[in-house]
Amino acid sequence: MPGADPIPELKATLVSANRILVHHDIVDGFGHVSARLPDNPERFLLARRKAPGLVTADDIIEFDLSGEPVVEKHAPTFLERFIHSEIYAARPDVNSVVHSHSPLMVAMSVAGQGAFRPVCHTCGFLGEGTPLFEIRKVAGDATNLLISSRELGKALAETLADAGVVLMRGHGTTAVGASVQQAVYRAVYSEINARVQLSAQQMGVPEFLTPAEAKACEGTSSLQVERTWAYWLDLIGQGRASQPGVAG
Ligand SMILES: [Zn+2]
């Protein structure tokens, strides 16, 4: 509807995204997902500090690109909100950011630069490999590994560059997308790629996608994102098939 406020719908999408990420064990008590406001690119929506599975629309508040809440200035916030603000500042094409500590991605983050690569057609977004953020290079060898300042967020965004996912050594992953749906897809399928890759490595040396194959696979990603999102909404009880009388 022309003139309709997009914020309530975007908040509902973020609540769904949190539930979907919990369902796939991408986030647990930690992790967060945000979305840029479509009519104000200098602002984004993110929950106040809370476990992802408990986030409701009322918990989601507006932040500016300095990483601070716009209205609820004293709200409890995630220490790592600068991951979101600095990526939005650096990447105009990004409209959603997922930060997580999913276990296999943490394993990949400590396996060295270039260890994590796309092995399956659903993971073409991993391209020629995933950049690895090494916090020691920017803040020394005694940090708590968290992105707890604008400076660290900026350094992370620089390492991400134009990629869809960045590994953070000993910590986790940040996935980005043009939409909430795409960022969530990339977070979930990064973990799946890691699972497949590790399984293959127990049997031998995996055959990774070539850069051209990854690019070709990514060409069909919008269809993959649309289909998986519809299915995932159903898994969390918000899909069409879960409504009475419309199953099948
Ligand atoms: Zn973190």
Side-chain angles (χ1 to χ4, degrees), residues 32 80 83 99-101 146 168 171:
H32 19 92
E80 297 196 285
I83 293 173
H99 172 61
S100 57
H101 308 153
L146 301 178
M168 303 153 78
H171 178 176

Side-chain angles (χ1 to χ4, degrees), residues 15-214:
V15 172
S16 300
N18 274 285
R19 297 284 187 282
I20 288 167
L21 291 165
V22 168
H23 182 91
H24 290 282
D25 294 325
I26 303 302
V27 296
D28 46 22
F30 307 108
H32 19 92
V33 50
S34 68
R36 194 197 294 268
L37 289 184
D39 55 357
N40 188 350
E42 305 285 304
R43 302 274 171 86
F44 65 96
L45 297 176
L46 174 68
R48 62 186 83 219
R49 188 173 66 236
K50 202 167 194 183
L54 303 178
V55 167
T56 68
D58 288 342
D59 296 312
I60 297 172
I61 58 177
E62 208 171 305
F63 289 76
D64 62 26
L65 295 191
S66 72
E68 301 303 336
V70 175
V71 178
E72 289 95 336
K73 294 192 182 296
H74 301 292
T77 52
F78 293 115
L79 266 180
E80 297 196 285
R81 58 195 183 277
F82 306 105
I83 293 173
H84 304 262
S85 56
E86 293 301 325
I87 288 176
Y88 289 128
R91 287 276 301 269
D93 61 310
V94 167
N95 293 314
S96 182
V97 176
V98 175
H99 172 61
S100 57
H101 308 153
S102 55
L104 295 182
M105 292 303 285
V106 176
M108 289 295 172
S109 81
V110 296
Q113 181 74 54
F116 180 57
R117 292 167 59 189
V119 286
C120 43
H121 76 97
T122 47
C123 297
F125 62 90
L126 295 172
E128 297 183 38
T130 303
L132 174 62
F133 178 68
E134 175 49 82
I135 198 167
R136 290 175 194 156
K137 286 184 182 169
V138 287
D141 63 1
T143 71
N144 60 8
L145 303 186
L146 301 178
I147 306 298
S148 54
S149 69
R150 291 188 71 176
E151 291 69 30
L152 287 170
K154 193 166 186 295
L156 178 69
E158 282 169 6
T159 301
L160 170 71
D162 60 356
V165 178
V166 59
L167 286 162
M168 303 153 78
R169 195 265 310 155
H171 178 176
T173 322
T174 297
V176 302
S179 63
V180 174
Q181 291 84 347
Q182 187 180 47
V184 169
Y185 177 94
R186 288 174 171 178
V188 173
Y189 271 90
S190 291
E191 182 77 3
I192 291 172
N193 190 86
R195 197 182 310 155
V196 175
Q197 180 180 333
L198 283 168
S199 299
Q201 284 171 326
Q202 288 173 343
M203 297 179 282
V205 179
E207 197 66 63
F208 294 105
L209 300 190
T210 66
E213 284 173 339

Side-chain angles (χ1 to χ4, degrees), residues 224-243:
Q224 294 167 347
V225 169
E226 191 182 332
R227 193 190 307 185
T228 49
W229 183 261
Y231 172 57
W232 291 340
L233 282 179
D234 195 62
L235 279 182
I236 60 166
Q238 297 179 2
R240 183 175 160 76
S242 62
Q243 304 298 316

